[in-house]
Amino acid sequence: MDTDRVPEHPDVRSVTVQQVLEALVDPVRRSIITQLSGSPADIACGAFDLSVSKSTATHHFRVLREAGLIRQYYVGTSRMNSLRRDEFDDRFPGLLDAVVSADHATPAQHRP
Amino acid sequence: MDTDRVPEHPDVRSVTVQQVLEALVDPVRRSIITQLSGSPADIACGAFDLSVSKSTATHHFRVLREAGLIRQYYVGTSRMNSLRRDEFDDRFPGLLDAVVSADHATPAQHRP
DNA sequence: ACGAAAGTACGATGAGTGTCAAACTTTGAT
DNA sequence: ATCAAAGTTTGACACTCATCGTACTTTCGT
């Protein structure tokens, strides 16, 4: 079986503001969202420009998925990521846009 | 001297998204912002409906002030708080509104 | 002058979490 | 069959931060 290969996605209506802000407060996660937001196509986990190890990246993707911000699906060995923009915007109007454009103005600063 | 009685307020332009999100991720601080946002008048620290001790509240007000979200000034022994809405909206368009209305839909859940 | 009220400052503490390395799993290519 | 590529899982560790109590400061009444 590869049922485990289909990660669980929450109903966006069951996601809380608390969860979303906890997800977006991390610079690495916000960078993932920004890159997704600026890309016309979905992006594989390994194709992101991140400054952390693979296992740490996995952690960040899970947090974003559980916050209802991204959808993940497998293509071969690659895990693809897409922004759940419409659903999310419906639940939290204006929030994603505000954070993304704010982040665009002041890029994420990695710790030294 | 009571120079120390005038707390330092940052120029909102020097505030980073990171700082703002770190400020807004805490439920108590978000509650402060929501209460201020729904009030026509400024509110003294002690007049807020908060579920933490006085010293903890002081900490939260400082974080909000340093994130450019509120302005504080003394009236007698009371420290008044006002939302720096216009300045903040100019720096981070839509962010405050999005968070406040999202928080209004899903009120801050206090830990048990 | 004295005391109460409103906050602030200072440690100390406990829980959370971002980080990594190492071992493992699944898929695709040779 | 074998091997490499792509992620995941599992501990473990370090560091941050929300919280509180106590002591202190400033202001306002009486």
Side-chain angles (χ1 to χ4, degrees):
Chain A
M1 288 300 183
D2 68 344
T3 320
D4 295 340
R5 292 226 112 199
V6 181
E8 290 190 1
H9 292 77
D11 185 338
V12 189
R13 289 170 301 181
S14 71
V15 171
T16 65
V17 199
Q18 187 60 36
Q19 230 178 321
V20 172
L21 291 178
E22 282 172 2
L24 291 176
V25 77
D26 186 278
V28 176
R29 289 195 285 266
R30 218 161 50 243
S31 170
I32 293 175
I33 295 299
T34 308
Q35 291 180 51
L36 267 182
S37 172
S39 165
D42 297 352
I43 308 180
C45 291
F48 282 87
D49 181 22
L50 299 178
S51 56
V52 293
S53 71
K54 272 203 302 181
S55 51
T56 301
T58 295
H59 165 65
H60 288 310
F61 284 113
R62 184 177 58 231
V63 173
L64 289 173
R65 176 178 15 100
E66 290 173 349
L69 280 158
I70 64 174
R71 167 154 286 134
Q72 297 190 291
Y73 59 96
Y74 272 99
V75 173
T77 64
S78 291
R79 200 169 213 178
M80 304 300 298
N81 303 273
S82 76
L83 213 50
R84 299 179 66 177
R85 178 174 278 290
D86 290 346
E87 304 168 84
F88 191 85
D89 283 351
D90 191 59
R91 173 84 174 86
F92 301 107
L95 185 50
L96 196 50
D97 275 341
V99 171
V100 168
S101 40
D103 205 42
H104 189 266
T106 312
Q109 38 248 254
H110 296 192
R111 72 189 53 65
Chain B
M1 288 297 183
D2 68 343
T3 320
D4 296 339
R5 292 226 111 200
V6 180
E8 289 190 1
H9 291 77
D11 185 337
V12 190
R13 288 171 301 180
S14 71
V15 172
T16 66
V17 199
Q18 187 59 37
Q19 230 178 323
V20 172
L21 290 178
E22 282 172 2
L24 292 176
V25 77
D26 186 277
V28 176
R29 288 195 286 266
R30 217 160 50 242
S31 171
I32 293 176
I33 295 299
T34 308
Q35 292 180 49
L36 267 182
S37 171
S39 165
D42 297 352
I43 308 180
C45 290
F48 283 87
D49 181 21
L50 299 179
S51 55
V52 293
S53 70
K54 271 202 304 181
S55 51
T56 301
T58 295
H59 164 64
H60 287 309
F61 284 113
R62 184 177 56 231
V63 173
L64 289 172
R65 186 183 68 236
E66 290 174 348
L69 279 159
I70 63 174
R71 167 154 286 132
Q72 298 191 291
Y73 58 96
Y74 272 98
V75 173
T77 64
S78 292
R79 198 168 213 180
M80 305 300 297
N81 303 274
S82 76
L83 212 49
R84 301 178 66 177
R85 178 174 278 289
D86 291 346
E87 303 169 85
F88 191 85
D89 283 351
D90 191 59
R91 173 84 173 86
F92 301 108
L95 185 51
L96 195 51
D97 276 340
V99 171
V100 167
S101 40
D103 206 42
H104 189 267
T106 311
Q109 38 249 254
H110 295 192
R111 71 190 55 63

